[in-house]
Amino acid sequence: MTKPPIGQLRSRLSATIAVRTGLAVVGVGVGLWGLGLLLQSLSVDALIRLPLWLAGAVIANDFFLVPLTISVGWMLARWSIGPGHHRTVTTVRTMLLYAGITTLVAIPLLLRQGKGVNPTVLPRNYLRDWLLLEATIVLVGVLVAVVQGRRLTFRRSRASSGDIGGR
């Protein structure tokens, strides 16, 4: 394989730099536009509370979510060392990931339900709906794990009986 001439490399590099610069300019422009909309739509009191809320989100992430995620991942890795467990690790990880994501999305609805001046803003029973969603995620995860376990058992029984490759 021959190397391209230096002139081609320079033209590719300059094209890459131009595209990246253009994307950076568009990104900064969109960010400034969003900042302008934020400053127009929020009151001074809300602008003071916003950094506090963001700091709370960072603290909750660093001191609660990250240690919880690392701990669960470590326990799952330790559990997967056992015989036959490595097959279901992906299913359990996926189930935990979906349960965690849907919980993070549902937390604001669960915390604000029934509060406020207008009771029609959050009229549904979000706790019940969230619990049903989590139960569905766990049920599907268990069903997938059972199907995987049965397929594995079927493969083992065929291999032990000598019925490999259609013989």
Side-chain angles (χ1 to χ4, degrees), residues 130-166:
W130 172 72
L131 289 172
L132 285 172
L133 178 62
E134 298 303 310
T136 303
I137 291 170
V138 170
L139 178 67
V140 169
V142 168
L143 287 174
V144 168
V146 167
V147 168
Q148 285 179 342
R150 289 191 183 219
R151 280 194 344 210
L152 181 64
T153 305
F154 176 72
R155 287 183 186 150
R156 280 188 196 150
S157 66
R158 284 188 62 210
S160 64
S161 68
D163 185 21
I164 299 175

mmCIF file of all heavy atoms in Angstrom, residues 130-166:
data_model
loop_
_atom_site.group_PDB
_atom_site.id
_atom_site.type_symbol
_atom_site.label_atom_id
_atom_site.label_comp_id
_atom_site.label_asym_id
_atom_site.label_seq_id
_atom_site.Cartn_x
_atom_site.Cartn_y
_atom_site.Cartn_z
ATOM 1 N N TRP A 130 -45.024 3.685 37.557
ATOM 2 C CA TRP A 130 -43.585 3.414 37.621
ATOM 3 C C TRP A 130 -43.329 2.006 38.134
ATOM 4 O O TRP A 130 -42.478 1.291 37.612
ATOM 5 C CB TRP A 130 -42.908 4.458 38.516
ATOM 6 C CG TRP A 130 -41.477 4.159 38.785
ATOM 7 C CD1 TRP A 130 -40.431 4.255 37.926
ATOM 8 C CD2 TRP A 130 -40.936 3.690 40.018
ATOM 9 N NE1 TRP A 130 -39.270 3.889 38.552
ATOM 10 C CE2 TRP A 130 -39.556 3.538 39.833
ATOM 11 C CE3 TRP A 130 -41.490 3.395 41.253
ATOM 12 C CZ2 TRP A 130 -38.730 3.091 40.853
ATOM 13 C CZ3 TRP A 130 -40.659 2.960 42.260
ATOM 14 C CH2 TRP A 130 -39.296 2.810 42.054
ATOM 15 N N LEU A 131 -44.074 1.591 39.173
ATOM 16 C CA LEU A 131 -43.902 0.236 39.703
ATOM 17 C C LEU A 131 -44.283 -0.818 38.659
ATOM 18 O O LEU A 131 -43.610 -1.854 38.543
ATOM 19 C CB LEU A 131 -44.727 0.055 40.978
ATOM 20 C CG LEU A 131 -44.206 0.810 42.198
ATOM 21 C CD1 LEU A 131 -45.206 0.718 43.349
ATOM 22 C CD2 LEU A 131 -42.844 0.292 42.617
ATOM 23 N N LEU A 132 -45.334 -0.560 37.880
ATOM 24 C CA LEU A 132 -45.705 -1.489 36.806
ATOM 25 C C LEU A 132 -44.612 -1.567 35.736
ATOM 26 O O LEU A 132 -44.302 -2.652 35.230
ATOM 27 C CB LEU A 132 -47.034 -1.074 36.178
ATOM 28 C CG LEU A 132 -48.280 -1.365 36.988
ATOM 29 C CD1 LEU A 132 -49.503 -0.719 36.348
ATOM 30 C CD2 LEU A 132 -48.491 -2.857 37.129
ATOM 31 N N LEU A 133 -44.039 -0.426 35.401
ATOM 32 C CA LEU A 133 -42.962 -0.415 34.413
ATOM 33 C C LEU A 133 -41.751 -1.188 34.920
ATOM 34 O O LEU A 133 -41.173 -2.005 34.196
ATOM 35 C CB LEU A 133 -42.575 1.024 34.080
ATOM 36 C CG LEU A 133 -41.422 1.200 33.085
ATOM 37 C CD1 LEU A 133 -41.777 0.597 31.740
ATOM 38 C CD2 LEU A 133 -41.071 2.666 32.955
ATOM 39 N N GLU A 134 -41.373 -0.956 36.176
ATOM 40 C CA GLU A 134 -40.224 -1.669 36.739
ATOM 41 C C GLU A 134 -40.500 -3.170 36.823
ATOM 42 O O GLU A 134 -39.628 -3.993 36.535
ATOM 43 C CB GLU A 134 -39.870 -1.115 38.120
ATOM 44 C CG GLU A 134 -39.456 0.345 38.118
ATOM 45 C CD GLU A 134 -38.286 0.647 37.223
ATOM 46 O OE1 GLU A 134 -37.271 -0.055 37.308
ATOM 47 O OE2 GLU A 134 -38.392 1.599 36.436
ATOM 48 N N ALA A 135 -41.716 -3.539 37.200
ATOM 49 C CA ALA A 135 -42.079 -4.960 37.260
ATOM 50 C C ALA A 135 -42.028 -5.588 35.868
ATOM 51 O O ALA A 135 -41.577 -6.734 35.706
ATOM 52 C CB ALA A 135 -43.467 -5.114 37.869
ATOM 53 N N THR A 136 -42.445 -4.841 34.857
ATOM 54 C CA THR A 136 -42.377 -5.348 33.484
ATOM 55 C C THR A 136 -40.929 -5.549 33.046
ATOM 56 O O THR A 136 -40.602 -6.569 32.418
ATOM 57 C CB THR A 136 -43.095 -4.370 32.527
ATOM 58 O OG1 THR A 136 -44.431 -4.189 32.968
ATOM 59 C CG2 THR A 136 -43.079 -4.889 31.108
ATOM 60 N N ILE A 137 -40.072 -4.609 33.386
ATOM 61 C CA ILE A 137 -38.654 -4.736 33.033
ATOM 62 C C ILE A 137 -38.054 -5.967 33.700
ATOM 63 O O ILE A 137 -37.351 -6.759 33.068
ATOM 64 C CB ILE A 137 -37.894 -3.455 33.418
ATOM 65 C CG1 ILE A 137 -38.314 -2.297 32.514
ATOM 66 C CG2 ILE A 137 -36.383 -3.671 33.356
ATOM 67 C CD1 ILE A 137 -37.801 -0.948 32.962
ATOM 68 N N VAL A 138 -38.340 -6.157 34.974
ATOM 69 C CA VAL A 138 -37.804 -7.316 35.700
ATOM 70 C C VAL A 138 -38.378 -8.613 35.126
ATOM 71 O O VAL A 138 -37.643 -9.594 34.941
ATOM 72 C CB VAL A 138 -38.090 -7.185 37.207
ATOM 73 C CG1 VAL A 138 -37.768 -8.473 37.935
ATOM 74 C CG2 VAL A 138 -37.298 -6.030 37.794
ATOM 75 N N LEU A 139 -39.670 -8.631 34.825
ATOM 76 C CA LEU A 139 -40.300 -9.832 34.260
ATOM 77 C C LEU A 139 -39.677 -10.211 32.923
ATOM 78 O O LEU A 139 -39.356 -11.379 32.686
ATOM 79 C CB LEU A 139 -41.809 -9.615 34.107
ATOM 80 C CG LEU A 139 -42.586 -10.775 33.495
ATOM 81 C CD1 LEU A 139 -42.575 -11.971 34.439
ATOM 82 C CD2 LEU A 139 -44.006 -10.350 33.175
ATOM 83 N N VAL A 140 -39.489 -9.236 32.053
ATOM 84 C CA VAL A 140 -38.866 -9.518 30.752
ATOM 85 C C VAL A 140 -37.428 -10.003 30.951
ATOM 86 O O VAL A 140 -36.985 -10.948 30.296
ATOM 87 C CB VAL A 140 -38.927 -8.276 29.843
ATOM 88 C CG1 VAL A 140 -38.058 -8.454 28.607
ATOM 89 C CG2 VAL A 140 -40.357 -7.982 29.435
ATOM 90 N N GLY A 141 -36.699 -9.388 31.874
ATOM 91 C CA GLY A 141 -35.325 -9.830 32.162
ATOM 92 C C GLY A 141 -35.284 -11.263 32.661
ATOM 93 O O GLY A 141 -34.433 -12.054 32.247
ATOM 94 N N VAL A 142 -36.198 -11.612 33.553
ATOM 95 C CA VAL A 142 -36.250 -12.988 34.070
ATOM 96 C C VAL A 142 -36.611 -13.965 32.956
ATOM 97 O O VAL A 142 -36.009 -15.054 32.851
ATOM 98 C CB VAL A 142 -37.236 -13.081 35.252
ATOM 99 C CG1 VAL A 142 -37.530 -14.520 35.614
ATOM 100 C CG2 VAL A 142 -36.690 -12.321 36.457
ATOM 101 N N LEU A 143 -37.573 -13.593 32.106
ATOM 102 C CA LEU A 143 -37.945 -14.471 30.989
ATOM 103 C C LEU A 143 -36.774 -14.689 30.030
ATOM 104 O O LEU A 143 -36.537 -15.820 29.579
ATOM 105 C CB LEU A 143 -39.139 -13.891 30.239
ATOM 106 C CG LEU A 143 -40.484 -13.973 30.948
ATOM 107 C CD1 LEU A 143 -41.551 -13.230 30.154
ATOM 108 C CD2 LEU A 143 -40.888 -15.416 31.171
ATOM 109 N N VAL A 144 -36.044 -13.629 29.729
ATOM 110 C CA VAL A 144 -34.879 -13.765 28.855
ATOM 111 C C VAL A 144 -33.835 -14.666 29.503
ATOM 112 O O VAL A 144 -33.246 -15.537 28.854
ATOM 113 C CB VAL A 144 -34.295 -12.380 28.500
ATOM 114 C CG1 VAL A 144 -32.936 -12.512 27.835
ATOM 115 C CG2 VAL A 144 -35.246 -11.622 27.603
ATOM 116 N N ALA A 145 -33.601 -14.500 30.807
ATOM 117 C CA ALA A 145 -32.623 -15.337 31.507
ATOM 118 C C ALA A 145 -33.052 -16.805 31.508
ATOM 119 O O ALA A 145 -32.226 -17.704 31.318
ATOM 120 C CB ALA A 145 -32.432 -14.837 32.932
ATOM 121 N N VAL A 146 -34.349 -17.062 31.687
ATOM 122 C CA VAL A 146 -34.849 -18.444 31.673
ATOM 123 C C VAL A 146 -34.681 -19.054 30.288
ATOM 124 O O VAL A 146 -34.236 -20.201 30.153
ATOM 125 C CB VAL A 146 -36.321 -18.486 32.136
ATOM 126 C CG1 VAL A 146 -36.967 -19.824 31.826
ATOM 127 C CG2 VAL A 146 -36.412 -18.181 33.618
ATOM 128 N N VAL A 147 -35.026 -18.294 29.245
ATOM 129 C CA VAL A 147 -34.875 -18.810 27.876
ATOM 130 C C VAL A 147 -33.408 -19.089 27.577
ATOM 131 O O VAL A 147 -33.073 -20.126 27.001
ATOM 132 C CB VAL A 147 -35.483 -17.819 26.861
ATOM 133 C CG1 VAL A 147 -35.078 -18.169 25.443
ATOM 134 C CG2 VAL A 147 -36.993 -17.791 26.998
ATOM 135 N N GLN A 148 -32.521 -18.180 27.993
ATOM 136 C CA GLN A 148 -31.089 -18.414 27.780
ATOM 137 C C GLN A 148 -30.617 -19.650 28.540
ATOM 138 O O GLN A 148 -29.833 -20.443 28.029
ATOM 139 C CB GLN A 148 -30.278 -17.203 28.216
ATOM 140 C CG GLN A 148 -30.337 -16.056 27.275
ATOM 141 C CD GLN A 148 -29.540 -14.869 27.772
ATOM 142 O OE1 GLN A 148 -29.213 -14.787 28.956
ATOM 143 N NE2 GLN A 148 -29.245 -13.946 26.882
ATOM 144 N N GLY A 149 -31.094 -19.822 29.755
ATOM 145 C CA GLY A 149 -30.710 -20.987 30.546
ATOM 146 C C GLY A 149 -31.190 -22.282 29.930
ATOM 147 O O GLY A 149 -30.487 -23.284 29.926
ATOM 148 N N ARG A 150 -32.403 -22.270 29.384
ATOM 149 C CA ARG A 150 -32.926 -23.488 28.744
ATOM 150 C C ARG A 150 -32.168 -23.807 27.459
ATOM 151 O O ARG A 150 -31.921 -24.958 27.158
ATOM 152 C CB ARG A 150 -34.408 -23.349 28.461
ATOM 153 C CG ARG A 150 -35.194 -23.380 29.731
ATOM 154 C CD ARG A 150 -36.642 -23.520 29.463
ATOM 155 N NE ARG A 150 -37.325 -23.471 30.748
ATOM 156 C CZ ARG A 150 -38.342 -24.222 31.044
ATOM 157 N NH1 ARG A 150 -38.809 -25.059 30.165
ATOM 158 N NH2 ARG A 150 -38.927 -24.123 32.207
ATOM 159 N N ARG A 151 -31.816 -22.768 26.685
ATOM 160 C CA ARG A 151 -31.033 -23.005 25.468
ATOM 161 C C ARG A 151 -29.683 -23.592 25.827
ATOM 162 O O ARG A 151 -29.189 -24.489 25.167
ATOM 163 C CB ARG A 151 -30.847 -21.711 24.682
ATOM 164 C CG ARG A 151 -32.014 -21.342 23.859
ATOM 165 C CD ARG A 151 -31.736 -20.285 22.846
ATOM 166 N NE ARG A 151 -30.522 -19.539 23.058
ATOM 167 C CZ ARG A 151 -30.347 -18.296 22.693
ATOM 168 N NH1 ARG A 151 -31.316 -17.650 22.120
ATOM 169 N NH2 ARG A 151 -29.208 -17.682 22.893
ATOM 170 N N LEU A 152 -29.082 -23.080 26.891
ATOM 171 C CA LEU A 152 -27.790 -23.588 27.331
ATOM 172 C C LEU A 152 -27.913 -25.033 27.778
ATOM 173 O O LEU A 152 -27.088 -25.873 27.437
ATOM 174 C CB LEU A 152 -27.240 -22.724 28.463
ATOM 175 C CG LEU A 152 -25.873 -23.110 29.012
ATOM 176 C CD1 LEU A 152 -24.822 -22.951 27.928
ATOM 177 C CD2 LEU A 152 -25.534 -22.269 30.214
ATOM 178 N N THR A 153 -28.982 -25.372 28.517
ATOM 179 C CA THR A 153 -29.199 -26.750 28.966
ATOM 180 C C THR A 153 -29.421 -27.664 27.781
ATOM 181 O O THR A 153 -28.908 -28.782 27.738
ATOM 182 C CB THR A 153 -30.409 -26.807 29.918
ATOM 183 O OG1 THR A 153 -30.191 -25.889 30.972
ATOM 184 C CG2 THR A 153 -30.609 -28.183 30.469
ATOM 185 N N PHE A 154 -30.180 -27.196 26.770
ATOM 186 C CA PHE A 154 -30.422 -27.991 25.578
ATOM 187 C C PHE A 154 -29.113 -28.262 24.849
ATOM 188 O O PHE A 154 -28.850 -29.383 24.421
ATOM 189 C CB PHE A 154 -31.418 -27.273 24.660
ATOM 190 C CG PHE A 154 -31.653 -27.992 23.361
ATOM 191 C CD1 PHE A 154 -32.384 -29.170 23.337
ATOM 192 C CD2 PHE A 154 -31.153 -27.498 22.170
ATOM 193 C CE1 PHE A 154 -32.606 -29.829 22.141
ATOM 194 C CE2 PHE A 154 -31.371 -28.149 20.979
ATOM 195 C CZ PHE A 154 -32.101 -29.321 20.957
ATOM 196 N N ARG A 155 -28.261 -27.260 24.731
ATOM 197 C CA ARG A 155 -26.978 -27.452 24.053
ATOM 198 C C ARG A 155 -26.101 -28.428 24.815
ATOM 199 O O ARG A 155 -25.411 -29.249 24.240
ATOM 200 C CB ARG A 155 -26.263 -26.118 23.888
ATOM 201 C CG ARG A 155 -26.880 -25.245 22.828
ATOM 202 C CD ARG A 155 -26.102 -23.981 22.660
ATOM 203 N NE ARG A 155 -26.803 -23.105 21.724
ATOM 204 C CZ ARG A 155 -26.753 -21.800 21.758
ATOM 205 N NH1 ARG A 155 -26.029 -21.194 22.672
ATOM 206 N NH2 ARG A 155 -27.404 -21.097 20.890
ATOM 207 N N ARG A 156 -26.097 -28.327 26.140
ATOM 208 C CA ARG A 156 -25.298 -29.253 26.946
ATOM 209 C C ARG A 156 -25.796 -30.684 26.774
ATOM 210 O O ARG A 156 -25.011 -31.607 26.666
ATOM 211 C CB ARG A 156 -25.380 -28.872 28.426
ATOM 212 C CG ARG A 156 -24.488 -27.763 28.816
ATOM 213 C CD ARG A 156 -24.517 -27.622 30.320
ATOM 214 N NE ARG A 156 -23.976 -26.357 30.723
ATOM 215 C CZ ARG A 156 -24.324 -25.693 31.798
ATOM 216 N NH1 ARG A 156 -25.237 -26.182 32.599
ATOM 217 N NH2 ARG A 156 -23.779 -24.556 32.092
ATOM 218 N N SER A 157 -27.132 -30.877 26.761
ATOM 219 C CA SER A 157 -27.658 -32.237 26.653
ATOM 220 C C SER A 157 -27.331 -32.837 25.291
ATOM 221 O O SER A 157 -27.038 -34.022 25.200
ATOM 222 C CB SER A 157 -29.164 -32.252 26.909
ATOM 223 O OG SER A 157 -29.842 -31.554 25.896
ATOM 224 N N ARG A 158 -27.380 -32.020 24.231
ATOM 225 C CA ARG A 158 -27.011 -32.532 22.918
ATOM 226 C C ARG A 158 -25.534 -32.881 22.881
ATOM 227 O O ARG A 158 -25.137 -33.892 22.317
ATOM 228 C CB ARG A 158 -27.312 -31.497 21.834
ATOM 229 C CG ARG A 158 -28.778 -31.416 21.510
ATOM 230 C CD ARG A 158 -29.037 -30.539 20.326
ATOM 231 N NE ARG A 158 -28.383 -31.083 19.158
ATOM 232 C CZ ARG A 158 -27.940 -30.338 18.155
ATOM 233 N NH1 ARG A 158 -28.070 -29.046 18.193
ATOM 234 N NH2 ARG A 158 -27.362 -30.886 17.119
ATOM 235 N N ALA A 159 -24.688 -32.032 23.493
ATOM 236 C CA ALA A 159 -23.255 -32.280 23.460
ATOM 237 C C ALA A 159 -22.908 -33.520 24.266
ATOM 238 O O ALA A 159 -22.053 -34.311 23.872
ATOM 239 C CB ALA A 159 -22.506 -31.077 24.012
ATOM 240 N N SER A 160 -23.568 -33.717 25.380
ATOM 241 C CA SER A 160 -23.246 -34.884 26.217
ATOM 242 C C SER A 160 -23.759 -36.171 25.626
ATOM 243 O O SER A 160 -23.252 -37.245 25.905
ATOM 244 C CB SER A 160 -23.791 -34.691 27.630
ATOM 245 O OG SER A 160 -25.203 -34.617 27.588
ATOM 246 N N SER A 161 -24.787 -36.098 24.776
ATOM 247 C CA SER A 161 -25.335 -37.321 24.191
ATOM 248 C C SER A 161 -24.595 -37.733 22.920
ATOM 249 O O SER A 161 -24.875 -38.762 22.364
ATOM 250 C CB SER A 161 -26.817 -37.140 23.875
ATOM 251 O OG SER A 161 -26.976 -36.209 22.824
ATOM 252 N N GLY A 162 -23.675 -36.883 22.476
ATOM 253 C CA GLY A 162 -22.937 -37.214 21.279
ATOM 254 C C GLY A 162 -23.626 -36.757 20.000
ATOM 255 O O GLY A 162 -23.167 -37.044 18.913
ATOM 256 N N ASP A 163 -24.769 -36.071 20.143
ATOM 257 C CA ASP A 163 -25.524 -35.608 18.978
ATOM 258 C C ASP A 163 -25.039 -34.224 18.577
ATOM 259 O O ASP A 163 -25.686 -33.230 18.778
ATOM 260 C CB ASP A 163 -27.014 -35.569 19.323
ATOM 261 C CG ASP A 163 -27.858 -35.216 18.111
ATOM 262 O OD1 ASP A 163 -27.367 -35.405 16.990
ATOM 263 O OD2 ASP A 163 -28.989 -34.744 18.299
ATOM 264 N N ILE A 164 -23.863 -34.183 18.001
ATOM 265 C CA ILE A 164 -23.278 -32.918 17.576
ATOM 266 C C ILE A 164 -23.112 -32.964 16.069
ATOM 267 O O ILE A 164 -22.629 -33.946 15.521
ATOM 268 C CB ILE A 164 -21.918 -32.668 18.250
ATOM 269 C CG1 ILE A 164 -22.092 -32.600 19.742
ATOM 270 C CG2 ILE A 164 -21.277 -31.402 17.715
ATOM 271 C CD1 ILE A 164 -20.801 -32.464 20.497
ATOM 272 N N GLY A 165 -23.504 -31.898 15.414
ATOM 273 C CA GLY A 165 -23.313 -31.806 13.974
ATOM 274 C C GLY A 165 -24.267 -32.684 13.193
ATOM 275 O O GLY A 165 -23.994 -33.050 12.068
ATOM 276 N N GLY A 166 -25.410 -33.032 13.772
ATOM 277 C CA GLY A 166 -26.420 -33.797 13.049
ATOM 278 C C GLY A 166 -26.133 -35.276 12.956
ATOM 279 O O GLY A 166 -26.713 -35.970 12.151
#
